[in-house]
Amino acid sequence: MAYRQTDKVAARLAVTRRSILDAAQGLVAEGGFAAVQMTEVAKKAGVATGTLYRYFSSKEALCRQVFREVSTREMGMLAEIASGDEPARERLTKVLRTFAGRAVRGRRLSYALLAEPVDVNLAEERSFFRRTHAEIFVGILEDGIKNGELRKIDARIAAACIAGAIPTALIGPLAPQSHELDNNPDRVVEEIVTFCLAGAGVALPESNRQTRERRTTP
C-alpha cells in the first residue's frame, strides 16, 4: 500500500517549512542574501542542518523562495491599492508612496531585494517582479488616460520608466554604508513620489506640496 501523508504530518511539515523560511527571511533582513548560510538558518529555525535539505535542495533554492514570497507580498499590496475606486491620480500617489515608504522602513531587506548582487536565479526573480511592478503602473495610467485624468502618453513606456526609476533612486539611500536615511527618510520618499508623478504629468495638489515641504525640511 502506498504511503499516505496524514493531515497531522502535513501540518507539522508545513510548520517546519514556515519556520525555515521565516528564519531565512530574518537573516536577509539583517545582512542580505549573503548572510543566509544553511547552518545559521537551521540554528535560527531550531532544526538540524540536514533537515533544511528535505525542504530546499540548496541555499539558492531557499533564497529564491524567500525572494519570491516577500516580493509577492509587496506586489500584492500595491496591486490592491491600484485596483481601488479612487481616482487614478490618488491611486498612483498611494502606490508610489507605499512602495518607497515601505522600502525605507525595511531598509536592509529592501536593499537585498532591489540591489544586492545576486546569482542568476535571484536575478530572474528580480526581473519578473520588476515587470509585475510596471504592470501595476500600466493599469493605473491607462485608467487615468481613459477617464481624462491624465494626459495621453504611452502608458507602457511611462510605467516602465517609473518602475525603473524607483529602485534606481533607492539604491544609494538604502545601501548599508549610506547615512542618507538616518535623519530624514521622508525626504527621499517624497522626492521619488514627486518625480514619478511629474513623469506621468501629475502635479501635487497645493496641500500635498505643503506637506511635502514640511517633511523634507531638515
Side-chain angles (χ1 to χ4, degrees), residues 22-91:
D22 288 345
Q25 183 178 324
L27 289 170
V28 176
E30 292 169 7
F33 286 105
V36 180
Q37 303 300 322
M38 296 301 255
T39 53
E40 289 301 313
V41 174
K43 185 186 302 183
K44 200 173 182 69
V47 300
T49 303
T51 301
L52 299 184
Y53 293 96
R54 299 179 190 172
Y55 295 85
F56 300 96
S57 60
S58 63
K59 169 189 170 178
E60 290 72 24
L62 174 57
C63 287
R64 187 165 190 165
Q65 185 59 31
V66 169
F67 194 109
R68 187 174 295 167
E69 283 197 358
V70 176
S71 297
T72 298
R73 182 188 67 212
E74 296 299 315
M75 291 300 108
M77 188 179 303
L78 300 183
E80 184 176 353
I81 295 171
S83 64
D85 297 327
E86 299 94 341
R89 294 185 180 197
E90 291 183 19
R91 283 180 282 146

Side-chain angles (χ1 to χ4, degrees), residues 4 9 30 34 47-48 51 58 70 79 102 113 124 130-132 141 143 156 180 184 189 194 199:
R4 294 182 61 186
V9 170
E30 292 169 7
V47 300
T51 301
S58 63
V70 176
R102 287 179 64 80
L113 294 172
E124 289 177 358
R130 283 185 177 174
R131 291 194 297 273
T132 302
L141 294 176
D143 283 350
R156 290 199 167 274
E180 194 170 346
N184 195 355
V189 174
T194 301

Side-chain angles (χ1 to χ4, degrees), residues 15 24 51 58 69 74 78 80 96 98 102 128 135 152 162 176 183 187-188 192 194 197 201 203 207 210 214:
V15 168
T51 301
S58 63
E69 283 197 358
E74 296 299 315
L78 300 183
E80 184 176 353
L96 290 167
T98 297
R102 287 179 64 80
F128 172 79
E135 285 299 317
K152 290 184 178 181
I162 293 171
N183 299 320
R187 182 189 66 81
V188 173
I192 289 172
T194 301
L197 288 176
S207 59
Q210 291 172 355
R214 287 195 296 270

Side-chain angles (χ1 to χ4, degrees), residues 82 86-96 136-156 158-159 162 193-205:
E86 299 94 341
R89 294 185 180 197
E90 291 183 19
R91 283 180 282 146
L92 179 58
T93 303
K94 284 184 180 180
V95 168
L96 290 167
I136 291 171
F137 290 119
V138 169
I140 299 174
L141 294 176
E142 287 182 341
D143 283 350
I145 294 167
K146 180 180 178 181
N147 296 332
E149 296 178 55
L150 303 177
R151 61 187 175 85
K152 290 184 178 181
I153 55 175
D154 188 313
R156 290 199 167 274
I162 293 171
V193 171
T194 301
F195 177 84
C196 291
L197 288 176
V202 179
L204 280 173

